[in-house]
Structures are given as C-alpha cells and as structure tokens.
Amino acid sequence: MSKKLNNMLETIRMEAKYTATSTGREEFNERVMQAMHDVDRKNFVSKNYKLLSYDNGPLPIGYGQTISQPYIVALMTELLDLEPEHVVLEVGTGSGYQTAILAQLAKQVYSIERIKELAESSEQRLKKLGFNNIEIRHFNGYYGWLDKAPFDSIIVTAAASHIPNDLSEQLKPGGRMVIPVGLPYMPQELMLVNKDINGETSVKSVLDVSFVPLITDDEAQEE
Ligand code: SAH
C-alpha cells in the first residue's frame, strides 16, 4: 500500500476516535475502510491537485464545487450501515468519489448531479474504472428520483436549509439518510434520519460540518 494512502486511512481512523462522542462510532466498519482503501482518490482529483490526493481535506473540482474530505466520506458511508443488497440514492455526484465508495458496498447506486459537465465527466470516469452498478443523471436532486424510489439509503453531499420532504418520503421503512443541514457558509450539522418500520422518521445531529449548498430551485439547473 502506498505510504500516502496508508496515512489517509490512519487519519480517518484517528478522526473516528476523536469524534466518537458525537458520532457514536469509535471505529468504522472494516468494509467501509476497505472501500476507502480500494477506491483510489487520485482518480477523482483534478490534475492540479494530484499531489494532495490523499490529504484529509476537500479539494476544488471546478464549477465552484469540491470533492469532500476523506474522513467525511468515510463517516457518511459508515452512518448508512450499507448492506450488499442495498439500493442507494446520492444527491450531488460531484467528482463521483463518494459514488464509487457507495458502489463498492451496495447493490446499486443512483446518483444525481445538477451540473451537466460534472455529471458527464463522473459518469465517464466511473465507467472507465469498471463500475457497472452506478447510474448518474443530470437534474435537480432536491426532489429525489421518484422512478427509482424507494431507497434503502439516501446520502446528500451538499448542505440543505432543511431536510427535503421528497427525500424523506423516498426512503424505505427501516432506511437511513445522511444530510448536512444549515445555511451556506454558516455552521452546518450532519443529520442522520432514521425511518422506522412503521414509516416514522427521527432525526439526530451527528457532527458540525461544512458543505457547498444544495441548490433547491429548478431554474438553477439550467445555468
Ligand atoms: N460527493 C461529492 C461532493 C461534491 S460537492 C464529491 O466528493 O465529489 C456537492 C455536489 O452537489 C456538487 O457537485 C453540486 O453541483 C451538487 N448539487 C448541489 N445541489 C444539487 C441538487 N439540487 N441536485 C443535484 N446535485 C446538486
């Protein structure tokens, strides 16, 4: 294993310990850590930032967006408790890095991205890397993906001012959603939404985070 990748995994393990009192997860599942090892972040980072591929920080991917910090990617994945037969919805494909991690652990991943260029480049990248259980679409994911619903898990990788109702509705009973909630450029909270078998949802704040905003209006996608 390359030394830098090893350091990245060690940093994730350390951060998991530091944040355990908030997240309730002192150690991440070995399947999650294996996926973080197997999906090479270098393949998702833009040319100018390759040297920083394994640093535990977000990096620009163009269009004012960022590839998320590895620890946050691992944490959000961990919180979903994915099983190999799960069907997952992701809102905010971005670079496709988180998408690839999810695809290692679940049966099928549906991912939505509102910036056409990112949707197209990530689709090509993931195909080239050999993923065949990912479907990416270019539209506004604020309303979810009704045709493919319901989902075992939903992950939103941009911060919303509130938990979108359509997303909660597209979650299966027993399902989980992770979503950063808060105003742009203000402290945001990573929320874990649990839907019980009777369809009742409960929400728990997990950690303070910082994400690019989730765009909610339909017109914005036509920019
Ligand atoms: N997980 C990605 C994060 C990308 S940043 C990665 O690690 O690369 C968040 C992404 O969400 C951006 O690409 C942004 O364009 C997208 N986004 C924001 N609002 C959206 C919406 N309403 N529907 C779909 N995608 C959205």
Side-chain angles (χ1 to χ4, degrees), residues 41 44 59 61-69 73 76 90-99 111-116 118-119 122 125 137-143 155-159 211-217 221:
R41 192 167 184 255
F44 298 83
L59 293 169
I61 54 171
Y63 313 95
Q65 309 303 322
T66 51
I67 176 171
S68 304
Q69 180 191 351
V73 171
M76 290 173 85
E90 178 186 42
V91 178
T93 317
S95 66
Y97 178 58
Q98 172 79 73
T99 324
S111 186
I112 312 173
E113 170 56 55
R114 64 171 280 278
I115 297 175
K116 192 162 184 262
L118 286 176
S122 295
R125 175 180 298 128
R137 280 293 147 83
H138 164 233
F139 59 85
N140 181 356
Y142 177 71
Y143 303 101
I155 177 168
V156 183
T157 67
F211 277 82
V212 296
L214 181 78
I215 307 298
T216 52
D217 56 322
Q221 70 179 323

Side-chain angles (χ1 to χ4, degrees), residues 130-178:
F131 287 94
N132 54 13
N133 60 341
I134 296 173
E135 204 174 318
I136 296 176
R137 280 293 147 83
H138 164 233
F139 59 85
N140 181 356
Y142 177 71
Y143 303 101
W145 192 336
L146 197 55
D147 287 358
K148 306 291 183 189
F151 304 99
D152 297 288
S153 301
I154 299 179
I155 177 168
V156 183
T157 67
S161 61
H162 57 276
I163 297 169
N165 205 28
D166 293 82
L167 295 184
S168 296
E169 278 177 8
Q170 290 173 29
L171 207 52
K172 275 187 196 168
R176 300 159 80 80
M177 164 161 59
V178 281

Side-chain angles (χ1 to χ4, degrees), residues 115-129:
I115 297 175
K116 192 162 184 262
E117 290 82 355
L118 286 176
E120 285 173 359
S121 58
S122 295
E123 186 174 34
Q124 277 168 21
R125 175 180 298 128
L126 290 161
K127 234 180 227 144
K128 223 168 97 190
L129 290 170

